[in-house]
Amino acid sequence: RAALQELALRPDRSALLRYLPPSGLQRHRIAGVQWLARMGVEATAEQTLPCAGAQHALFITLQHLFTLQHLSSRSRVVYVDELSYPGIHGIAELLRLQLIPIGADAEGMSPQKLVSACQKHGPGALYLMPTIHNPTGVVMPDARRLSLCEVARAHQLFIIEDAANRMLLAKAPAPFWQHAPERTFLIASVSKIVGAGLRVAFLVAPGEHMQALVRQVWGTQWMVSPLGLEIVAMWLEDGTVDVTLKRKRKEAARRQAVVQKVFGSRSLRAHPNALHVWVELPKPWRSERLAEASARQGIVVTPSSAFWTGKSPPPAAIRISLGGVEKLRELELGLTKLANIVFR
């Protein structure tokens, strides 16, 4: 409310309702640099492009990469985790890309399995969420990141690093952008910290790709709405982002503690700072059937099929979002009801 009131009283407010360059205002690109710095990512304003949310950033990145000569119609593959962010499916369908699932272990995607897939399918893009992975919560260690960078260089892969949850972790391993800046595109959304409705994300890319990405913004929606970007810039300046970030990290930890209290150690995979948890279901449950049963009790969970890119049937598991319920007591009651369904 305060931000909207401040905007309404500003004498330059009408400038935010005009056509602006698709590259965004310099002030908003600098806001992106400041946002990235808070998650331990170093970038310049020239390397940072405002986008209309992470999904838009991911779309224009893939659209751009597969118009390059060496990622032509001959090689339209995107290497992904077997369990991966659901939004990648819709983009792959629209752009006619083939998702190649790669197996993982407790540290994330397997470099050996990625090499085998590359030998079969050739160059392409590598999409990863290495910090608080969605849905498993895995934080990929430095050594695994370096190994995957070596594979990417050897097999001509561009790396797309989705940093949606990175800021929830006070100290995260170095980003792929730091290890392989010549081939990494990093996407930093503001949704998990200040709200998805703003539709703001910042895309970091190698300098030689930036002009083509700006053209992708122009081609998809002319420009990113400056109103949301201006609110993010204001909140960075007045400290709102930093205060909210501290609160969000504490709240995530509180909610994970509630999960542990209700579920104990039964088949849970989660990170202490994540706003979601992955639950492996006991027999005879299947994920879709459990999701339907919980929905009848007023509880919405996401079945594993929403994340699954593998060729075999998806695992019997669900993801529980911990951020959609306002009060901790309400969350505990919902989780207790869900646990009674799952483990009855």
Side-chain angles (χ1 to χ4, degrees):
R1 182 173 68 245
L4 292 173
Q5 288 173 337
E6 182 179 337
L7 274 177
L9 295 172
R10 277 173 42 172
D12 65 342
R13 61 188 178 275
S14 61
L16 298 174
L17 297 175
R18 297 173 184 159
Y19 284 109
L20 295 172
S23 58
L25 295 174
Q26 181 72 359
R27 164 176 169 76
H28 295 156
R29 294 173 79 121
I30 291 172
V33 171
Q34 294 170 341
W35 182 272
L36 291 158
R38 283 164 170 78
M39 59 170 63
V41 177
E42 295 182 6
T44 66
E46 290 69 34
Q47 296 168 321
T48 306
L49 179 65
C51 294
Q55 186 76 357
H56 179 236
L58 181 55
F59 181 91
I60 67 170
T61 299
L62 288 168
Q63 173 85 321
H64 159 64
L65 289 177
F66 287 95
T67 58
L68 294 178
Q69 186 175 359
H70 47 294
L71 290 185
S72 62
S73 58
R74 180 177 59 84
S75 175
R76 297 186 65 80
V77 297
V78 182
Y79 299 98
V80 297
D81 287 298
E82 284 183 321
L83 289 164
S84 190
Y85 164 61
I88 193 74
H89 294 268
I91 293 175
E93 182 179 346
L94 286 171
L95 297 181
R96 299 182 180 180
L97 304 175
Q98 182 183 4
L99 299 180
I100 305 297
I102 309 298
D105 57 24
E107 294 187 342
M109 183 181 286
S110 165
Q112 293 77 22
K113 291 180 180 179
L114 178 59
V115 168
S116 297
C118 289
Q119 289 170 343
K120 180 178 180 180
H121 297 283
L126 171 61
Y127 171 77
L128 297 160
M129 187 180 288
T131 307
I132 308 185
H133 176 267
N134 180 16
T136 64
V138 169
V139 176
M140 188 181 290
D142 285 307
R144 178 60 55 88
R145 297 178 191 228
L146 288 167
S147 295
L148 289 170
C149 285
E150 290 175 8
V151 176
R153 288 193 178 99
H155 293 274
Q156 301 178 56
L157 305 182
F158 289 103
I159 300 169
I160 303 173
E161 179 176 4
D162 189 336
N165 294 317
R166 183 178 175 88
M167 203 181 278
L168 289 170
L169 199 57
K171 189 175 181 180
F176 278 82
W177 168 255
Q178 183 173 314
H179 297 310
E182 80 286 355
R183 63 184 59 252
T184 299
F185 298 74
L186 184 144
I187 299 170
S189 169
V190 309
S191 295
K192 294 294 186 291
I193 305 302
V194 297
L198 287 174
R199 304 315 305 143
V200 170
F202 299 102
L203 172 59
V204 183
E208 65 269 25
H209 294 270
M210 187 54 69
Q211 204 51 46
L213 289 166
V214 170
R215 192 162 181 80
Q216 290 288 341
V217 172
W218 176 81
T220 51
Q221 61 174 59
W222 193 284
M223 66 178 189
V224 178
S225 172
L227 288 170
L229 285 163
E230 183 61 26
I231 290 173
V232 173
M234 291 164 55
W235 284 344
L236 283 162
E237 290 170 348
D238 68 13
T240 298
V241 166
D242 298 314
V243 171
T244 304
L245 176 57
K246 290 177 181 178
R247 289 177 176 170
K248 194 66 65 80
R249 287 172 178 165
K250 289 180 180 178
E251 186 65 20
R254 289 192 192 101
R255 290 175 182 239
Q256 288 289 347
V258 171
V259 175
Q260 292 293 329
K261 175 184 175 182
V262 173
F263 279 79
S265 59
R266 292 180 291 192
S267 304
L268 291 180
R269 295 176 67 185
H271 190 276
N273 293 93
L275 284 167
H276 65 268
V277 62
W278 185 247
V279 182
E280 295 171 350
L281 302 174
K283 292 180 179 181
W285 282 117
R286 298 191 311 273
S287 61
E288 296 282 356
R289 194 161 67 86
L290 189 280
E292 292 169 1
S294 63
R296 288 193 292 269
Q297 299 294 320
I299 301 169
V300 178
V301 298
T302 308
S304 61
S305 55
F307 307 93
W308 188 243
T309 61
K311 295 180 180 179
S312 61
I318 57 171
R319 193 198 72 167
I320 306 170
S321 171
L322 305 180
V325 179
E326 186 174 348
K327 298 185 182 301
L328 280 179
R329 180 57 181 162
E330 186 181 356
L331 176 66
E332 184 173 351
L333 290 172
L335 288 170
T336 301
K337 187 186 294 187
L338 180 61
N340 289 334
I341 297 171
V342 174
F343 300 108
R344 64 189 177 194

